[in-house]
Amino acid sequence: MEDDWIDPRDRVPGWREPPRPARAAISGRYVSLEPLTPARHAAGLFTAFDGHGALWRFLPYGPFATAAEHRTWLEAAAASDDPLFFAICDGGRAVGLLSFLRIAPEAGSIEVGHICLSPALQRTRGATEAIVLTVTWAFEAGYRRFEWKCDAANRASRSAAERFGFSFEGVFRQAAVVKGRNRDTAWFAAIDAEWPRLRAAYDTWLDPANFDGGGTQERSLSTLTRDILAARDPAREGDGH
């Protein structure tokens, strides 16, 4: 047969392209993701980010000196289809940004990025849930691969990726020049075969029962996802994979 060389493990029976994400809200228990709309979100985001220039250290834009400057950037971001930006809202108040990007339905691959969490959102259940909402949407829509990439020097982002159960896949050296500085890019990803275990870990961590009366977690997400991180398959080493 002409395709006898294909490893049976690589076949994807019944494959259908998933849909592209829509400009529609994605709601959770603690936060919601709303399609970025400057008229609705610009003032809140500028207030949430103002005075915190370090938030933009690893992003290719920002910080923004004035509300008008920030609004101009938001207008351009909101008009984009890829990246597709969402405001992270807590009780209707915009407190962060993220996007879907590198959206490739034909490959079943999608990425989350342009993540910017205000100090009010950082280290909260809502911050974790915002990422979980994107992962959940992607795998439930039929994507096979969910990616997270970051500046290799951004240790906090690298730790966060593994906390969410995304496996490290390597570093692309000299991948970009950002704000006049070399950027090596670290790649992380999760795949659909891991999704049932990831979903169980996320549900367990986000459950109110996982927090005591003072809001302290009983079980960390890192503990819940640690065993999901991919190990190399020795049987596939050296076979071109």
Side-chain angles (χ1 to χ4, degrees), residues 29 47 51 92 129 177 211 225:
R29 177 185 282 126
T47 298
E129 186 182 52
V177 177
F211 299 86
T225 60

Side-chain angles (χ1 to χ4, degrees), residues 25-126:
I26 306 172
S27 298
R29 177 185 282 126
Y30 305 110
V31 296
S32 63
L33 307 182
E34 298 183 3
L36 179 61
T37 307
R40 174 174 171 78
H41 302 124
L45 288 172
F46 184 75
T47 298
F49 296 150
D50 191 31
H52 303 286
L55 295 174
W56 311 97
R57 178 181 177 188
F58 293 107
L59 292 168
Y61 41 78
F64 303 97
T66 66
E69 182 184 346
H70 189 221
R71 175 69 177 260
T72 297
W73 181 85
L74 289 175
E75 294 282 0
S80 170
D81 292 321
D82 187 351
L84 180 62
F85 279 89
F86 291 81
I88 305 169
C89 297
D90 180 356
R93 182 171 59 108
V95 289
L97 279 175
L98 55 70
S99 75
F100 288 116
L101 70 157
R102 289 173 57 92
I103 304 165
E106 69 281 2
S109 178
I110 195 168
E111 180 180 345
V112 65
H114 296 278
I115 301 166
C116 191
L117 310 180
S118 71
L121 182 59
Q122 292 173 14
R123 299 184 180 278
T124 67
R125 279 174 263 187

Side-chain angles (χ1 to χ4, degrees), residues 131 148 154-166 221-222:
I131 304 301
W148 173 299
N154 189 345
R155 296 188 180 278
S157 185
R158 294 178 68 155
S159 294
E162 293 197 341
R163 175 176 176 261
F164 282 103
F166 305 151
L221 186 57
S222 295

